[in-house]
Amino acid sequence: QWLDLSDSFVSGEEDNGGSLLSNKNINNEINGNWLSSSSNSIHEARLKAKAKRRLRKNSSRDSGRGDSLSDNGDAVRGTAVAPTSPKSKLLDRKSRLGKGRGLPKKGGAGGKGVWGRSGEVYGPEEVDEKDPNYDEAQENCVYETVAPPLEEKDFEKTVSPIVQEYFEHGDTNEVAELLAELNLGPMRSEVPSLAVSLALEAKASHRELTSRLLADLCGSVLSRSDMESSFDKLLRELPDLVLDTPGAPQLVGQFIARAVSDQILSKSYIESYKGRVGCQYTRAALDRAAVLLKMTMGGLRIDNQWGAGGGQRPVMQLVKEMNLLLKEYILSGDIKEAERCLRDLEVPHFHHEFVYEAIVMVLESKGDKTFKMVLQLLKALSASSSITVDQMRRGYERVYMDIAEINIDVPRAYFILEQFVDQSFNTGVIDVKIRDLCPCRGRKRFVSEGDGGVVKLESY
């Protein structure tokens, strides 16, 4: 029979014996299971590992303040040290040994990819003569960046953008600097021929810029022999250039004449081809150059044969050229030629002057021929967008502002202007806003004193 002795009192001996028995039972029994001696050692190892983990966790939060473990796994109370960082600051890389002032390692100069603290300047490193890799011949050597020679396949796509940008800014010094950075090598003589071939397909102002570029590059970047070999290549390639530019022989002849005038080609360059030219295009180019050089002896200035660019010419010169253009159109009646000449002036921002001069010519003319022809010209230029709406509007507004002064010399100016504005609106040259801005002079006047003050309408 089992007896329940849980509530009964026992003596001291029984108590001691019971405690020994209970300790023995605790070591040999876990959760009601009896363990062997080997299982007992495993259990003790688990308890020690659990105590280490608990102590490591506490020491990470309170550095220098927690407990440490002895060799046998017993917890030993360490000396109390003030924590180096607050408990809430996680992933802090500062030292947790309780030493120092909590500053970053290496004064902030450490870490991945860091070569030193900010602002630190390294002095020249002295060469160690005892180094097994020491070479006395390399002690005083100078290292420079050397660009590889430019190959023929990369020449055009490298130099063409430089020339195209020069057509926009017109700075020869920038082109010289960019070419000096390239290691042209044997391709140096190809620069003038490439620039001239690009200018053949461009405008007259670009050809003038090309002639200036060749004159500035000769001597500093290119030699005279490079220029001569480059023009020799142009003369050989004329049959191919004519396919894209029909007037290439005449244009190349002008380039040659300009080069001789600028002293980048020798005066005997053209004479050296006499008797040994078989291509008709080459002969035409050389003949054109020879004729231009003979004309210079008569006082013709060849240094500006291409003409200056639109914005570089004086305003008075532009006004004269526009007047000549209008007079030539009145005589010939060729609208396409007039449009081409206006485009060659390269002054789209100054087209309002062309509109102004055309309307003033109508006001000062006699008969209906000029009236109709100028109206047709403005209609064609407006339809092709050669003259923008803004430039057209500004041209009409300028006439409106000056009509009072024009009327002094042309008594019928108001009447003709009203008719021209109405016809311009009907043909779509201007809109209703510009038409309504047209000034009107009062048509009522006194005929004479003998009429008794009768007001009559003015008729034309």
Side-chain angles (χ1 to χ4, degrees):
Q1 295 180 356
W2 296 93
L3 295 177
D4 187 6
L5 300 178
S6 59
D7 296 333
S8 60
F9 296 97
V10 294
S11 61
E13 295 178 359
E14 291 175 353
D15 189 11
N16 294 334
S19 61
L20 295 175
L21 183 60
S22 62
N23 291 333
K24 184 177 181 180
N25 291 339
I26 289 175
N27 293 332
N28 296 329
E29 181 182 2
I30 297 178
N31 295 332
N33 298 323
W34 295 93
L35 301 177
S36 60
S37 60
S38 61
S39 299
N40 191 16
S41 61
I42 295 174
H43 178 63
E44 291 179 357
R46 289 177 178 175
L47 292 178
K48 292 181 180 180
K50 186 175 181 181
K52 287 183 178 181
R53 286 197 299 271
R54 186 183 299 110
L55 195 58
R56 191 182 300 115
K57 184 177 181 181
N58 293 334
S59 62
S60 65
R61 289 199 302 262
D62 303 328
S63 178
R65 190 174 59 183
D67 299 334
S68 60
L69 290 178
S70 61
D71 295 338
N72 57 3
D74 295 336
V76 178
R77 189 66 178 178
T79 59
V81 181
T84 59
S85 62
K87 297 181 180 180
S88 60
K89 184 176 289 189
L90 300 177
L91 302 178
D92 192 356
R93 301 182 63 180
K94 294 181 181 179
S95 175
R96 302 191 182 279
L97 299 177
K99 300 178 181 179
R101 296 175 293 167
L103 300 177
K105 296 179 180 179
K106 301 181 182 179
K112 184 178 180 181
V114 179
W115 288 37
R117 61 170 56 90
S118 177
E120 185 175 359
V121 179
Y122 294 94
E125 185 177 356
E126 297 181 0
V127 180
D128 187 7
E129 298 181 359
K130 298 181 179 180
D131 190 350
N133 296 324
Y134 173 74
D135 187 0
E136 185 178 359
Q138 297 182 357
E139 184 174 356
N140 297 323
C141 62
V142 179
Y143 298 93
E144 295 181 356
T145 302
V146 179
L150 192 63
E151 299 181 359
E152 184 177 359
K153 61 180 181 179
D154 299 330
F155 172 77
E156 185 173 353
K157 66 180 181 181
T158 304
V159 180
S160 293
I162 298 177
V163 179
Q164 294 288 355
E165 291 179 2
Y166 166 71
F167 289 160
E168 300 297 330
H169 57 73
D171 189 359
T172 57
N173 292 328
E174 182 176 348
V175 179
E177 292 176 0
L178 293 176
L179 293 178
E181 294 176 358
L182 301 175
N183 189 359
L184 295 175
M187 304 300 297
R188 188 181 304 275
S189 61
E190 302 289 335
V191 175
S193 60
L194 178 61
V196 172
S197 61
L198 291 176
L200 293 179
E201 302 176 358
K203 297 178 287 189
S205 60
H206 293 169
R207 296 165 193 157
E208 175 66 22
L209 290 174
T210 303
S211 297
R212 295 179 185 178
L213 177 64
L214 298 183
D216 292 344
L217 292 181
C218 185
S220 59
V221 180
L222 305 175
S223 61
R224 180 174 290 186
S225 60
D226 294 333
M227 290 290 179
E228 293 182 356
S229 60
S230 183
F231 277 98
D232 291 340
K233 180 182 178 182
L234 278 173
L235 294 175
R236 291 193 303 268
E237 294 179 350
L238 272 178
D240 297 332
L241 296 176
V242 170
L243 299 177
D244 297 330
T245 308
Q250 289 73 23
L251 296 177
V252 172
Q254 289 180 246
F255 273 110
I256 293 175
R258 177 66 180 271
V260 174
S261 177
D262 292 338
Q263 299 180 359
I264 60 178
L265 289 179
S266 61
K267 294 183 179 180
S268 61
Y269 178 77
I270 300 177
E271 298 178 358
S272 63
Y273 274 92
K274 286 185 177 180
R276 59 186 189 92
V277 178
C279 178
Q280 57 176 347
Y281 301 114
T282 304
R283 189 181 301 110
L286 294 174
D287 291 342
R288 174 66 173 170
V291 169
L292 289 175
L293 289 175
K294 287 181 180 179
M295 293 173 65
T296 57
M297 300 178 182
L300 176 65
R301 291 182 59 188
I302 199 174
D303 57 344
N304 197 19
Q305 60 176 342
W306 304 109
Q312 301 176 2
R313 279 175 288 188
V315 174
M316 295 306 298
Q317 182 182 354
L318 287 173
V319 173
K320 290 180 180 179
E321 292 183 2
M322 288 181 178
N323 282 322
L324 291 175
L325 192 159
L326 288 169
K327 292 178 181 179
E328 182 181 354
Y329 165 70
I330 295 299
L331 294 175
S332 64
D334 191 350
I335 296 179
K336 292 185 178 179
E337 180 67 16
E339 183 177 356
R340 185 190 65 81
C341 293
L342 182 63
R343 193 185 307 111
D344 290 343
L345 292 179
E346 302 177 20
V347 283
H349 60 282
F350 201 60
H351 283 172
H352 60 85
E353 177 67 27
F354 179 81
V355 177
Y356 175 84
E357 296 293 338
I359 299 176
V360 171
M361 183 177 290
V362 172
L363 298 179
E364 294 177 351
S365 64
K366 296 180 181 180
D368 297 336
K369 178 183 177 182
T370 305
F371 185 98
K372 294 179 180 179
M373 293 187 69
V374 170
L375 185 62
Q376 292 176 359
L377 177 62
L378 293 181
K379 180 182 177 181
L381 295 176
S382 177
S384 62
S385 297
S386 297
I387 299 180
T388 61
V389 177
D390 180 66
Q391 294 294 317
M392 191 73 70
R393 177 183 58 81
R394 291 182 61 186
Y396 275 80
E397 289 178 350
R398 286 184 58 194
V399 177
Y400 296 163
M401 294 173 61
D402 297 344
I403 188 61
E405 297 180 3
I406 297 173
N407 187 68
I408 298 174
D409 299 327
V410 184
R412 301 177 68 245
Y414 277 96
F415 177 73
I416 299 174
L417 179 62
E418 288 181 8
Q419 286 187 336
F420 188 82
V421 169
D422 291 337
Q423 291 296 326
S424 300
F425 173 73
N426 294 333
T427 55
V429 177
I430 59 176
D431 56 8
V432 65
K433 293 182 179 180
I434 302 177
R435 185 198 65 177
D436 294 341
L437 290 176
C438 180
C440 297
R441 191 185 62 172
R443 296 300 180 86
K444 295 181 180 181
R445 67 181 179 86
F446 292 98
V447 178
S448 64
E449 295 180 358
D451 294 334
V454 178
V455 178
K456 293 184 178 181
L457 294 177
E458 203 173 47
S459 61
Y460 294 100

